[in-house]
Every structure is written in C-alpha cells, then in structure tokens.
Amino acid sequence: MDYIGGGCMIPILHAPTSTDFFTNGIGRLSDAISCTVHEARNGEFELEMEYPVDGAHYASIVHSAIIVAKPSARRSQQAFRVYKITKPMRGTVTVLAQHISYQLSFIPVSPFSAASLTNALNGFRTNAAEPCPFTLTADFTSASSYAVPIPTSIRAYLGGQRGSILDVYGGEWEWNGYNCILHRERGQDNGYTIRYGKNLVDLKQEQSIE
C-alpha cells in the first residue's frame, strides 16, 4: 500500500525561522476547513490544508512558514514547510506544505566513500557542505560499501536516483522531525486480508502513457 497517513490534528502555525515545534508558535489554526497529510512509502510526504481568508492567523500563513500537524493517531506531530498558497476562491485558499525533511534537498554533500551502511549514513553529516541539523540512522546493518561520486543534495542520495542509499541497501525511510530512520521494513503484518466484495467495495485504476 503506497499511502500511509491521513487526517491530522488542529494544525499549529510557526514562523519560517522556527526550529522548536513543540510550542504553540504563532498560534493554532483552529479555523482550518480541512487538513490532510499524505505520505507515500519512500516518497511524497506533504500536508494540504484549506483555510478561510478570515480565519485566525491567516495573514501569517506565508511561504516558508511552518505548519505542525499530526499525520495520524499513531504518529507524533510533524513539521511541514509551506511552499504554495493558492489565490483565494470564495474566501478560501489551499495551502501546500512539504515535510521538514525536504530541507535535505538544499544541503549538498561532498564526495566520500564508506565501508558499510552505518558509515555511509554518518558520512552524509560529516561531508555536508553546510550545517546539517538532521540525524541519519538505520535499524539494520550492512557491510556493503557505498560511495558518493559527485556533489549532490543529501536527499537525492537517500533515495530516488541510481546509487542512492535505497538503491544500494533497500529499506523504507521514516521521516520524523529532524530524525531520518531507515527501516528494513516499516509497519507490521497484522494478518488482515483485503477481499473484493467483503471489505473492498470499490477499485479505481488509472492508466497513463507519460
């Protein structure tokens, strides 16, 4: 299943420069019409919120502001940075924000080599071209070697391209605040089976030639 996550608690707005997300920040966005977090395995992790222009703290919802929300009942609250705000339509705007871990896309890493998974993850912080507030760990080990041949963003080397951490070692990333944890496998098998006509009532398929 690609998507894990869903609705979120009352979101809290923080200033763009905020790094402490366990306060009330600028304030709670209690007037939110909807707030949903979507997370794809090793992929998208974004928040989408509909908000009225006359809602509390609306004027402070700006690009790069931080919205803190709880992706699901079992997850801790997470920080999302605003990257898009639509034009008002019938007094409502749609706010899109990416998980704070996307900041890794703007932190370059210099070439290095490592003799194991643990050393490779440590190497990203050691060889970061600018201060890196993120920690990278794994709940499994591997003695396979790893190399970063050319300077590129840290996030690109964590997954999504040939020669990335996922490409070499496999696993599933968990983005938890400033902690990036590589799991052999996220979640657990609860023995639940999906059956058409029983607990699956509809199925939608899309095809594309992109």
Side-chain angles (χ1 to χ4, degrees):
M1 182 175 183
D2 284 337
Y3 279 85
I4 49 181
C8 55
M9 66 177 194
I10 295 176
I12 302 173
L13 183 66
H14 289 255
T17 56
S18 177
T19 56
D20 181 4
F21 309 126
F22 295 94
T23 69
N24 282 324
I26 295 173
R28 292 180 175 271
L29 301 175
S30 55
D31 294 319
I33 299 170
S34 66
C35 180
T36 305
V37 173
H38 302 279
E39 183 182 8
R41 185 184 292 111
N42 290 330
E44 174 192 47
F45 196 3
E46 297 195 3
L47 175 146
E48 180 175 337
M49 179 180 70
E50 291 188 18
Y51 207 77
V53 296
D54 57 355
H57 310 298
Y58 170 75
S60 297
I61 303 176
V62 296
H63 288 96
S64 293
I66 300 290
I67 297 176
V68 173
K70 195 170 183 179
S72 67
R74 298 183 179 181
R75 296 289 303 278
S76 59
Q77 61 185 28
Q78 299 294 318
F80 299 83
R81 189 176 296 278
V82 175
Y83 71 89
K84 182 177 182 180
I85 305 171
T86 64
K87 296 294 184 181
M89 180 174 293
R90 292 189 288 274
T92 301
V93 297
T94 298
V95 180
L96 301 177
Q98 295 175 324
H99 189 261
I100 195 69
S101 61
Y102 280 69
Q103 183 178 331
L104 286 164
S105 297
F106 305 100
I107 302 178
V109 60
S110 300
F112 73 91
S113 59
S116 67
L117 170 58
T118 300
N119 291 338
L121 295 178
N122 291 335
F124 284 108
R125 282 177 58 90
T126 303
N127 296 279
E130 59 184 66
C132 178
F134 296 87
T135 61
L136 293 90
T137 58
D139 66 2
F140 65 97
T141 59
S142 173
S144 298
S145 60
Y146 185 78
V148 170
I150 59 174
T152 311
S153 76
I154 292 179
R155 190 175 177 96
Y157 272 120
L158 296 186
Q161 68 176 34
R162 187 173 182 180
S164 69
I165 289 290
L166 290 179
D167 188 36
V168 174
Y169 300 105
E172 298 178 5
W173 282 109
E174 176 189 353
W175 314 105
N176 184 13
Y178 287 107
N179 299 311
C180 309
I181 308 164
L182 183 65
H183 297 275
R184 176 69 75 186
E185 186 176 86
R186 288 181 64 181
Q188 61 185 19
D189 185 355
N190 292 317
Y192 191 80
T193 302
I194 298 177
R195 298 178 180 176
Y196 185 75
K198 183 177 181 181
N199 48 20
L200 176 64
V201 295
D202 190 22
L203 179 65
K204 180 180 180 181
Q205 178 180 350
E206 295 183 1
Q207 293 182 321
S208 173
I209 60 171
E210 284 184 315

